Amino acid sequence: MEHQATMEKLIALAKRRGFIYQGSEIYGGLAGTYDYGPLGTALKNNIKNLWWKMFVDGRDDMYGMDAAVLMNGRVWETTGHVAGFADPLVECTKCKKRFRADQIPDRTKCPECGGALGSERQFNMMLSTRVGAMEDSSSVSYLRPETAQGMFVNFKNVVDSFHPKLPFGMGQVGKAFRNEITPRDFIFRLRELEQMEIEYFVRPEDWERAFEEWRVAMGEWLKAVGIDTSRVHEVDIAPEDLAHYSKRTIDFEFEYPFGQKELYGLAYRTDFDLGSHTKASSVDLSYIEEDGTRFMPHVIEPSFGVDRTVLAVMLSAYAEDELGGGGRTYLKFHPRVAPVKAAVFPLMKNKPELVAKAREVYQALKAEIPQVMWDDNGNVGKRYRRQDEIGTPFCITVDFDTLGENADLKDTITLRDRDTGEQRRVPVSELIEIIKKSIR
Ligand code: ATP
């Protein structure tokens, strides 16, 4: 029987096994920040690389970008973020704690101490900072609250350098910052987060087709990255709830243990961004077709949170079962994103010839597949459990038969499958291909 993860179990595993730690933990933390440890970093990099491969390198209509986090403050005035990127805030008159008004059950009573809540006001979520040595208003800048604008402001640069034909898109992965009133639910609502975003430019009359293509592509991504699609729901946002720039938005919601909430968004942003930047900057961001027609392209924006992807991938992978007479916890990551693809063990660590042979197998694998691990601690059963818990799809044991004790089995190893626990003898020479095939 499989069991779903609770947040407590997942957070404990993430910390214990080196995936995700509380930010600045030894100083008591900093709310809304988390640090990715060695395995979390590997998992996250694998996710980002897969995304880049699928949506940028894997296509010929996409242009990759890496724009600066700090942008001219006028960008955020133009987009409406300075005036309107805000959540409703209420403060308790008794304990002084602050809450997001739309996230508490009763807008009159403090959810923590029961005290009376003050009146609601809009709290801007942009994190501001000062750039340069001048302490005047011209030095105010913001840590970008989304990566999207780095692409819009470079639209003309990319068009001038590459002369792409419509439709084409720009893709970017990077950090964004939001001063969330109540960061919560582990890496779900962060103040420092990472996004993978696409701005896909189309002729105005083509938006519906492109929207549908991206809806399907996002579904394919969910499968490729190993998110349980039976827990994902597409929610068409009602017209009255749409952001001011959007004509249609679908939220991809995931069933987290704390409720069904947004994982990704897909928005039709019309020509709002290019149009507003053209007006505000006086630089014409329209597109000229080969026949000389000039117009403002419209935009479809698929937006993916990296941290929410990590969370959904870990929650989808988390499983508990009985194996070999004992309970175990394992992460059934798709091998593509697993932080460790294979672990190599010598059957015993006090037999130099076994260790030498296992090292040889390990080095040969590592040269081809860098994400492999060496483990010679404790007995093989314990090593299996440890690797299961971090989601390693394959365990490779080098034993006396590998050395030729049984001549028929010379240069074969035991390959153990994480999900079934099954073991089979495999020639060392086939290992690299087996693992490479699984991560393709
Ligand atoms: P929410 O309604 O949950 O606040 P949002 O609608 O403001 O999210 P978008 O502005 O559409 O989110 O951001 C695009 C994506 O960035 C989201 O789908 C999500 O994956 C991610 N994201 C947004 N805010 C956060 C956050 N505070 N922490 C982690 N990821 C976030």
Side-chain angles (χ1 to χ4, degrees), residues 129 207 238 304 334:
T129 186
W207 80 266
F304 306 71
H334 190 290

Side-chain angles (χ1 to χ4, degrees), residues 401-434:
D401 287 339
T402 319
L403 297 177
E405 197 157 277
N406 177 343
D408 291 346
L409 296 178
K410 189 168 172 4
D411 284 323
T412 65
I413 49 80
T414 311
L415 185 69
R416 186 251 192 193
D417 178 276
R418 173 197 64 203
D419 300 345
T420 60
E422 270 164 25
Q423 302 176 24
R424 60 190 170 115
R425 278 320 278 195
V426 169
V428 172
S429 60
E430 287 176 19
L431 271 180
I432 289 174
E433 190 44 34
I434 291 173

Side-chain angles (χ1 to χ4, degrees), residues 179-324:
N179 201 6
E180 298 277 358
I181 296 169
T182 40
R184 58 165 73 182
D185 299 320
F186 194 35
I187 52 172
F188 175 79
R189 190 169 297 289
L190 295 166
R191 288 186 172 140
E192 176 173 340
L193 56 128
E194 203 162 0
Q195 294 179 317
M196 307 181 282
E197 293 195 299
I198 291 165
E199 305 306 331
Y200 197 72
F201 302 98
V202 298
R203 294 185 187 92
E205 65 274 20
D206 290 340
W207 80 266
E208 273 164 313
R209 191 174 58 210
F211 192 94
E212 180 57 18
E213 277 168 15
W214 280 106
R215 194 184 66 73
V216 172
M218 290 175 83
E220 279 161 11
W221 159 259
L222 292 169
K223 281 187 232 135
V225 77
I227 289 174
D228 179 355
T229 49
S230 72
R231 291 167 74 177
V232 177
H233 306 276
E234 289 180 23
V235 180
D236 239 299
I237 303 302
E240 62 273 21
D241 296 332
L242 287 173
H244 58 288
Y245 51 74
S246 179
K247 283 262 171 68
R248 186 180 176 199
T249 295
I250 290 180
D251 279 354
F252 285 73
E253 297 187 345
F254 182 76
E255 291 171 25
Y256 303 94
F258 44 85
Q260 182 178 317
K261 297 208 155 87
E262 178 169 334
L263 171 61
Y264 303 142
L266 172 64
Y268 168 42
R269 297 176 72 113
T270 67
D271 61 354
F272 173 79
D273 303 88
L274 293 181
S276 332
H277 286 309
T278 295
K279 261 189 236 131
S281 69
S282 306
V283 176
D284 185 359
L285 301 181
S286 58
Y287 180 88
I288 307 170
E289 295 270 31
E290 268 168 358
D291 66 3
T293 338
R294 181 189 277 274
F295 61 93
M296 214 46 96
H298 281 213
V299 168
I300 306 296
E301 180 190 72
S303 179
F304 306 71
V306 176
D307 311 275
R308 287 188 193 176
T309 307
V310 171
L311 183 56
V313 165
M314 291 188 85
L315 287 167
S316 301
Y318 186 99
E320 292 171 358
D321 69 1
E322 301 281 327
L323 191 74

